[in-house]
mmCIF file of all heavy atoms in Angstrom:
data_model
loop_
_atom_site.group_PDB
_atom_site.id
_atom_site.type_symbol
_atom_site.label_atom_id
_atom_site.label_comp_id
_atom_site.label_asym_id
_atom_site.label_seq_id
_atom_site.Cartn_x
_atom_site.Cartn_y
_atom_site.Cartn_z
ATOM 1 N N LEU C 53 -99.693 129.973 -117.480
ATOM 2 C CA LEU C 53 -99.099 128.653 -117.255
ATOM 3 C C LEU C 53 -99.872 127.577 -118.005
ATOM 4 O O LEU C 53 -99.279 126.641 -118.536
ATOM 5 C CB LEU C 53 -99.062 128.337 -115.759
ATOM 6 C CG LEU C 53 -98.028 129.109 -114.943
ATOM 7 C CD1 LEU C 53 -98.180 128.786 -113.466
ATOM 8 C CD2 LEU C 53 -96.622 128.782 -115.403
ATOM 9 N N GLY C 54 -101.194 127.723 -118.038
ATOM 10 C CA GLY C 54 -102.006 126.762 -118.786
ATOM 11 C C GLY C 54 -101.636 126.754 -120.250
ATOM 12 O O GLY C 54 -101.533 125.692 -120.879
ATOM 13 N N GLU C 55 -101.419 127.940 -120.808
ATOM 14 C CA GLU C 55 -101.005 128.033 -122.210
ATOM 15 C C GLU C 55 -99.631 127.409 -122.412
ATOM 16 O O GLU C 55 -99.402 126.705 -123.401
ATOM 17 C CB GLU C 55 -100.988 129.491 -122.655
ATOM 18 C CG GLU C 55 -102.366 130.112 -122.766
ATOM 19 C CD GLU C 55 -102.327 131.604 -123.042
ATOM 20 O OE1 GLU C 55 -101.226 132.135 -123.304
ATOM 21 O OE2 GLU C 55 -103.395 132.226 -122.990
ATOM 22 N N GLU C 56 -98.708 127.653 -121.472
ATOM 23 C CA GLU C 56 -97.368 127.071 -121.581
ATOM 24 C C GLU C 56 -97.435 125.551 -121.522
ATOM 25 O O GLU C 56 -96.771 124.859 -122.303
ATOM 26 C CB GLU C 56 -96.472 127.595 -120.465
ATOM 27 C CG GLU C 56 -96.065 129.042 -120.620
ATOM 28 C CD GLU C 56 -95.244 129.547 -119.446
ATOM 29 O OE1 GLU C 56 -94.663 128.720 -118.713
ATOM 30 O OE2 GLU C 56 -95.184 130.775 -119.249
ATOM 31 N N VAL C 57 -98.231 125.025 -120.605
ATOM 32 C CA VAL C 57 -98.371 123.569 -120.476
ATOM 33 C C VAL C 57 -98.989 123.000 -121.747
ATOM 34 O O VAL C 57 -98.556 121.955 -122.254
ATOM 35 C CB VAL C 57 -99.222 123.208 -119.237
ATOM 36 C CG1 VAL C 57 -99.633 121.752 -119.251
ATOM 37 C CG2 VAL C 57 -98.449 123.529 -117.960
ATOM 38 N N ASN C 58 -99.982 123.700 -122.282
ATOM 39 C CA ASN C 58 -100.629 123.252 -123.510
ATOM 40 C C ASN C 58 -99.632 123.235 -124.665
ATOM 41 O O ASN C 58 -99.583 122.277 -125.444
ATOM 42 C CB ASN C 58 -101.811 124.167 -123.826
ATOM 43 C CG ASN C 58 -102.752 123.579 -124.839
ATOM 44 O OD1 ASN C 58 -102.735 122.390 -125.106
ATOM 45 N ND2 ASN C 58 -103.584 124.410 -125.408
ATOM 46 N N GLU C 59 -98.810 124.272 -124.773
ATOM 47 C CA GLU C 59 -97.795 124.319 -125.820
ATOM 48 C C GLU C 59 -96.779 123.194 -125.652
ATOM 49 O O GLU C 59 -96.387 122.549 -126.631
ATOM 50 C CB GLU C 59 -97.090 125.669 -125.808
ATOM 51 C CG GLU C 59 -97.955 126.826 -126.273
ATOM 52 C CD GLU C 59 -97.302 128.181 -126.040
ATOM 53 O OE1 GLU C 59 -96.139 128.219 -125.585
ATOM 54 O OE2 GLU C 59 -97.961 129.199 -126.313
ATOM 55 N N ASP C 60 -96.359 122.957 -124.396
ATOM 56 C CA ASP C 60 -95.409 121.871 -124.140
ATOM 57 C C ASP C 60 -96.019 120.520 -124.504
ATOM 58 O O ASP C 60 -95.339 119.664 -125.079
ATOM 59 C CB ASP C 60 -94.969 121.871 -122.671
ATOM 60 C CG ASP C 60 -94.052 123.033 -122.333
ATOM 61 O OD1 ASP C 60 -93.542 123.676 -123.269
ATOM 62 O OD2 ASP C 60 -93.848 123.295 -121.130
ATOM 63 N N ALA C 61 -97.290 120.327 -124.176
ATOM 64 C CA ALA C 61 -97.951 119.062 -124.491
ATOM 65 C C ALA C 61 -98.020 118.851 -126.003
ATOM 66 O O ALA C 61 -97.769 117.740 -126.496
ATOM 67 C CB ALA C 61 -99.351 119.038 -123.885
ATOM 68 N N HIS C 62 -98.341 119.910 -126.733
ATOM 69 C CA HIS C 62 -98.379 119.796 -128.198
ATOM 70 C C HIS C 62 -96.992 119.498 -128.759
ATOM 71 O O HIS C 62 -96.853 118.682 -129.673
ATOM 72 C CB HIS C 62 -98.934 121.072 -128.827
ATOM 73 C CG HIS C 62 -100.415 121.210 -128.703
ATOM 74 N ND1 HIS C 62 -101.296 120.360 -129.313
ATOM 75 C CD2 HIS C 62 -101.176 122.101 -128.014
ATOM 76 C CE1 HIS C 62 -102.530 120.705 -129.034
ATOM 77 N NE2 HIS C 62 -102.484 121.769 -128.225
ATOM 78 N N ARG C 63 -95.974 120.147 -128.204
ATOM 79 C CA ARG C 63 -94.611 119.911 -128.682
ATOM 80 C C ARG C 63 -94.192 118.470 -128.434
ATOM 81 O O ARG C 63 -93.639 117.810 -129.317
ATOM 82 C CB ARG C 63 -93.630 120.880 -128.007
ATOM 83 C CG ARG C 63 -92.247 120.848 -128.639
ATOM 84 C CD ARG C 63 -91.260 121.775 -127.959
ATOM 85 N NE ARG C 63 -90.836 121.204 -126.701
ATOM 86 C CZ ARG C 63 -91.141 121.670 -125.487
ATOM 87 N NH1 ARG C 63 -91.861 122.747 -125.356
ATOM 88 N NH2 ARG C 63 -90.721 121.082 -124.393
ATOM 89 N N VAL C 64 -94.497 117.952 -127.231
ATOM 90 C CA VAL C 64 -94.134 116.566 -126.907
ATOM 91 C C VAL C 64 -94.901 115.597 -127.809
ATOM 92 O O VAL C 64 -94.347 114.602 -128.284
ATOM 93 C CB VAL C 64 -94.407 116.284 -125.412
ATOM 94 C CG1 VAL C 64 -94.333 114.805 -125.110
ATOM 95 C CG2 VAL C 64 -93.413 117.044 -124.544
ATOM 96 N N ALA C 65 -96.183 115.886 -128.047
ATOM 97 C CA ALA C 65 -96.978 115.025 -128.929
ATOM 98 C C ALA C 65 -96.403 115.028 -130.343
ATOM 99 O O ALA C 65 -96.319 113.967 -130.989
ATOM 100 C CB ALA C 65 -98.430 115.489 -128.934
ATOM 101 N N ASP C 66 -95.998 116.194 -130.816
ATOM 102 C CA ASP C 66 -95.399 116.272 -132.154
ATOM 103 C C ASP C 66 -94.093 115.489 -132.217
ATOM 104 O O ASP C 66 -93.837 114.772 -133.190
ATOM 105 C CB ASP C 66 -95.150 117.729 -132.551
ATOM 106 C CG ASP C 66 -96.438 118.484 -132.835
ATOM 107 O OD1 ASP C 66 -97.473 117.827 -133.065
ATOM 108 O OD2 ASP C 66 -96.397 119.735 -132.819
ATOM 109 N N GLU C 67 -93.270 115.615 -131.184
ATOM 110 C CA GLU C 67 -92.008 114.860 -131.152
ATOM 111 C C GLU C 67 -92.280 113.359 -131.113
ATOM 112 O O GLU C 67 -91.602 112.583 -131.784
ATOM 113 C CB GLU C 67 -91.181 115.275 -129.936
ATOM 114 C CG GLU C 67 -90.584 116.657 -130.053
ATOM 115 C CD GLU C 67 -89.864 117.091 -128.779
ATOM 116 O OE1 GLU C 67 -89.694 116.262 -127.862
ATOM 117 O OE2 GLU C 67 -89.489 118.277 -128.698
ATOM 118 N N GLY C 68 -93.268 112.954 -130.347
ATOM 119 C CA GLY C 68 -93.636 111.536 -130.289
ATOM 120 C C GLY C 68 -94.137 111.025 -131.633
ATOM 121 O O GLY C 68 -93.800 109.915 -132.060
ATOM 122 N N ARG C 69 -94.938 111.855 -132.293
ATOM 123 C CA ARG C 69 -95.451 111.488 -133.614
ATOM 124 C C ARG C 69 -94.315 111.333 -134.611
ATOM 125 O O ARG C 69 -94.275 110.367 -135.383
ATOM 126 C CB ARG C 69 -96.434 112.573 -134.077
ATOM 127 C CG ARG C 69 -97.361 112.139 -135.169
ATOM 128 C CD ARG C 69 -98.446 113.170 -135.492
ATOM 129 N NE ARG C 69 -99.305 113.423 -134.337
ATOM 130 C CZ ARG C 69 -99.374 114.595 -133.683
ATOM 131 N NH1 ARG C 69 -98.651 115.622 -134.085
ATOM 132 N NH2 ARG C 69 -100.169 114.747 -132.655
ATOM 133 N N ARG C 70 -93.350 112.265 -134.558
ATOM 134 C CA ARG C 70 -92.198 112.165 -135.464
ATOM 135 C C ARG C 70 -91.361 110.918 -135.155
ATOM 136 O O ARG C 70 -90.903 110.241 -136.072
ATOM 137 C CB ARG C 70 -91.336 113.419 -135.362
ATOM 138 C CG ARG C 70 -91.870 114.585 -136.154
ATOM 139 C CD ARG C 70 -90.836 115.697 -136.265
ATOM 140 N NE ARG C 70 -90.542 116.312 -134.966
ATOM 141 C CZ ARG C 70 -91.207 117.342 -134.459
ATOM 142 N NH1 ARG C 70 -92.198 117.869 -135.132
ATOM 143 N NH2 ARG C 70 -90.877 117.849 -133.282
ATOM 144 N N ALA C 71 -91.175 110.626 -133.875
ATOM 145 C CA ALA C 71 -90.399 109.437 -133.497
ATOM 146 C C ALA C 71 -91.102 108.168 -133.969
ATOM 147 O O ALA C 71 -90.452 107.228 -134.440
ATOM 148 C CB ALA C 71 -90.196 109.407 -131.980
ATOM 149 N N MET C 72 -92.447 108.144 -133.844
ATOM 150 C CA MET C 72 -93.202 106.973 -134.287
ATOM 151 C C MET C 72 -93.104 106.806 -135.805
ATOM 152 O O MET C 72 -92.928 105.689 -136.302
ATOM 153 C CB MET C 72 -94.665 107.126 -133.867
ATOM 154 C CG MET C 72 -95.471 105.908 -134.160
ATOM 155 S SD MET C 72 -94.828 104.521 -133.244
ATOM 156 C CE MET C 72 -96.243 104.095 -132.338
ATOM 157 N N GLN C 73 -93.197 107.898 -136.536
ATOM 158 C CA GLN C 73 -93.063 107.827 -137.988
ATOM 159 C C GLN C 73 -91.663 107.367 -138.384
ATOM 160 O O GLN C 73 -91.506 106.563 -139.311
ATOM 161 C CB GLN C 73 -93.376 109.188 -138.619
ATOM 162 C CG GLN C 73 -94.830 109.560 -138.537
ATOM 163 C CD GLN C 73 -95.088 111.001 -138.947
ATOM 164 O OE1 GLN C 73 -94.161 111.803 -139.070
ATOM 165 N NE2 GLN C 73 -96.354 111.340 -139.150
ATOM 166 N N ASP C 74 -90.654 107.828 -137.666
ATOM 167 C CA ASP C 74 -89.281 107.404 -137.941
ATOM 168 C C ASP C 74 -89.117 105.912 -137.669
ATOM 169 O O ASP C 74 -88.498 105.196 -138.449
ATOM 170 C CB ASP C 74 -88.302 108.217 -137.085
ATOM 171 C CG ASP C 74 -86.861 107.908 -137.411
ATOM 172 O OD1 ASP C 74 -86.520 107.871 -138.607
ATOM 173 O OD2 ASP C 74 -86.074 107.687 -136.462
ATOM 174 N N ALA C 75 -89.702 105.437 -136.556
ATOM 175 C CA ALA C 75 -89.616 104.011 -136.231
ATOM 176 C C ALA C 75 -90.338 103.178 -137.290
ATOM 177 O O ALA C 75 -89.841 102.126 -137.710
ATOM 178 C CB ALA C 75 -90.222 103.754 -134.849
ATOM 179 N N GLU C 76 -91.508 103.641 -137.720
ATOM 180 C CA GLU C 76 -92.236 102.914 -138.771
ATOM 181 C C GLU C 76 -91.425 102.847 -140.062
ATOM 182 O O GLU C 76 -91.378 101.810 -140.731
ATOM 183 C CB GLU C 76 -93.584 103.593 -139.042
ATOM 184 C CG GLU C 76 -94.596 103.410 -137.942
ATOM 185 C CD GLU C 76 -95.861 104.218 -138.162
ATOM 186 O OE1 GLU C 76 -95.885 105.054 -139.110
ATOM 187 O OE2 GLU C 76 -96.813 104.024 -137.397
ATOM 188 N N ARG C 77 -90.778 103.957 -140.402
ATOM 189 C CA ARG C 77 -89.954 103.996 -141.616
ATOM 190 C C ARG C 77 -88.780 103.024 -141.500
ATOM 191 O O ARG C 77 -88.476 102.282 -142.440
ATOM 192 C CB ARG C 77 -89.456 105.423 -141.845
ATOM 193 C CG ARG C 77 -88.718 105.630 -143.138
ATOM 194 C CD ARG C 77 -88.260 107.069 -143.318
ATOM 195 N NE ARG C 77 -87.561 107.620 -142.162
ATOM 196 C CZ ARG C 77 -86.291 107.381 -141.842
ATOM 197 N NH1 ARG C 77 -85.579 106.576 -142.595
ATOM 198 N NH2 ARG C 77 -85.736 107.932 -140.784
ATOM 199 N N ARG C 78 -88.154 103.006 -140.333
ATOM 200 C CA ARG C 78 -87.013 102.093 -140.136
ATOM 201 C C ARG C 78 -87.448 100.634 -140.181
ATOM 202 O O ARG C 78 -86.752 99.787 -140.737
ATOM 203 C CB ARG C 78 -86.331 102.388 -138.800
ATOM 204 C CG ARG C 78 -85.545 103.660 -138.804
ATOM 205 C CD ARG C 78 -84.888 103.899 -137.482
ATOM 206 N NE ARG C 78 -84.154 105.146 -137.466
ATOM 207 C CZ ARG C 78 -83.293 105.480 -136.537
ATOM 208 N NH1 ARG C 78 -83.059 104.667 -135.529
ATOM 209 N NH2 ARG C 78 -82.666 106.629 -136.599
ATOM 210 N N ILE C 79 -88.595 100.336 -139.578
ATOM 211 C CA ILE C 79 -89.095 98.951 -139.584
ATOM 212 C C ILE C 79 -89.411 98.520 -141.015
ATOM 213 O O ILE C 79 -89.103 97.396 -141.425
ATOM 214 C CB ILE C 79 -90.324 98.819 -138.662
ATOM 215 C CG1 ILE C 79 -89.874 98.914 -137.208
ATOM 216 C CG2 ILE C 79 -91.055 97.511 -138.909
ATOM 217 C CD1 ILE C 79 -91.007 98.996 -136.212
ATOM 218 N N ALA C 80 -90.040 99.411 -141.778
ATOM 219 C CA ALA C 80 -90.342 99.088 -143.175
ATOM 220 C C ALA C 80 -89.053 98.828 -143.952
ATOM 221 O O ALA C 80 -88.985 97.894 -144.773
ATOM 222 C CB ALA C 80 -91.138 100.219 -143.816
ATOM 223 N N LEU C 81 -88.031 99.632 -143.689
ATOM 224 C CA LEU C 81 -86.749 99.449 -144.365
ATOM 225 C C LEU C 81 -86.131 98.090 -143.984
ATOM 226 O O LEU C 81 -85.627 97.363 -144.848
ATOM 227 C CB LEU C 81 -85.788 100.584 -144.000
ATOM 228 C CG LEU C 81 -84.413 100.568 -144.649
ATOM 229 C CD1 LEU C 81 -84.535 100.691 -146.161
ATOM 230 C CD2 LEU C 81 -83.554 101.683 -144.094
ATOM 231 N N LEU C 82 -86.189 97.739 -142.703
ATOM 232 C CA LEU C 82 -85.660 96.437 -142.266
ATOM 233 C C LEU C 82 -86.424 95.284 -142.894
ATOM 234 O O LEU C 82 -85.842 94.265 -143.276
ATOM 235 C CB LEU C 82 -85.705 96.334 -140.740
ATOM 236 C CG LEU C 82 -84.681 97.170 -139.977
ATOM 237 C CD1 LEU C 82 -84.950 97.106 -138.476
ATOM 238 C CD2 LEU C 82 -83.273 96.673 -140.280
ATOM 239 N N GLU C 83 -87.750 95.419 -142.991
ATOM 240 C CA GLU C 83 -88.552 94.375 -143.631
ATOM 241 C C GLU C 83 -88.132 94.181 -145.087
ATOM 242 O O GLU C 83 -87.985 93.050 -145.561
ATOM 243 C CB GLU C 83 -90.039 94.732 -143.571
ATOM 244 C CG GLU C 83 -90.664 94.571 -142.215
ATOM 245 C CD GLU C 83 -92.114 95.024 -142.196
ATOM 246 O OE1 GLU C 83 -92.614 95.580 -143.205
ATOM 247 O OE2 GLU C 83 -92.752 94.840 -141.143
ATOM 248 N N LYS C 84 -87.940 95.291 -145.800
ATOM 249 C CA LYS C 84 -87.528 95.213 -147.202
ATOM 250 C C LYS C 84 -86.150 94.569 -147.325
ATOM 251 O O LYS C 84 -85.910 93.752 -148.222
ATOM 252 C CB LYS C 84 -87.516 96.602 -147.830
ATOM 253 C CG LYS C 84 -88.888 97.150 -148.083
ATOM 254 C CD LYS C 84 -88.827 98.542 -148.677
ATOM 255 C CE LYS C 84 -90.221 99.127 -148.836
ATOM 256 N NZ LYS C 84 -90.180 100.504 -149.359
ATOM 257 N N GLN C 85 -85.235 94.938 -146.406
ATOM 258 C CA GLN C 85 -83.892 94.346 -146.453
ATOM 259 C C GLN C 85 -83.943 92.850 -146.172
ATOM 260 O O GLN C 85 -83.254 92.067 -146.834
ATOM 261 C CB GLN C 85 -82.986 95.040 -145.435
ATOM 262 C CG GLN C 85 -82.585 96.440 -145.833
ATOM 263 C CD GLN C 85 -81.775 97.128 -144.747
ATOM 264 O OE1 GLN C 85 -81.721 96.690 -143.609
ATOM 265 N NE2 GLN C 85 -81.152 98.252 -145.108
ATOM 266 N N ALA C 86 -84.750 92.439 -145.206
ATOM 267 C CA ALA C 86 -84.865 91.012 -144.886
ATOM 268 C C ALA C 86 -85.486 90.254 -146.059
ATOM 269 O O ALA C 86 -85.027 89.164 -146.424
ATOM 270 C CB ALA C 86 -85.706 90.816 -143.634
ATOM 271 N N GLU C 87 -86.513 90.841 -146.655
ATOM 272 C CA GLU C 87 -87.163 90.207 -147.806
ATOM 273 C C GLU C 87 -86.188 90.069 -148.967
ATOM 274 O O GLU C 87 -86.115 89.013 -149.624
ATOM 275 C CB GLU C 87 -88.363 91.073 -148.217
ATOM 276 C CG GLU C 87 -89.341 90.390 -149.125
ATOM 277 C CD GLU C 87 -90.557 91.257 -149.348
ATOM 278 O OE1 GLU C 87 -91.183 91.673 -148.350
ATOM 279 O OE2 GLU C 87 -90.863 91.523 -150.534
#
């Protein structure tokens, strides 16, 4: 169970990291469009 929880935590962290990178990319795109 500890291994499963650890794997789930890594998966959630990876998904969060991808979502943050996507948000940063979108914000940069909006900044360029506004400029």
Side-chain angles (χ1 to χ4, degrees):
L53 287 175
E55 290 173 8
E56 288 177 21
V57 168
N58 196 17
E59 290 171 4
D60 288 346
H62 284 295
R63 190 181 75 249
V64 168
D66 289 342
E67 288 175 8
R69 199 173 299 114
R70 280 192 294 271
M72 186 62 121
Q73 290 170 347
D74 185 47
E76 288 174 352
R77 186 179 49 79
R78 287 181 182 193
I79 288 172
L81 182 62
L82 287 173
E83 286 176 354
K84 287 179 184 178
Q85 287 176 346
E87 196 174 305

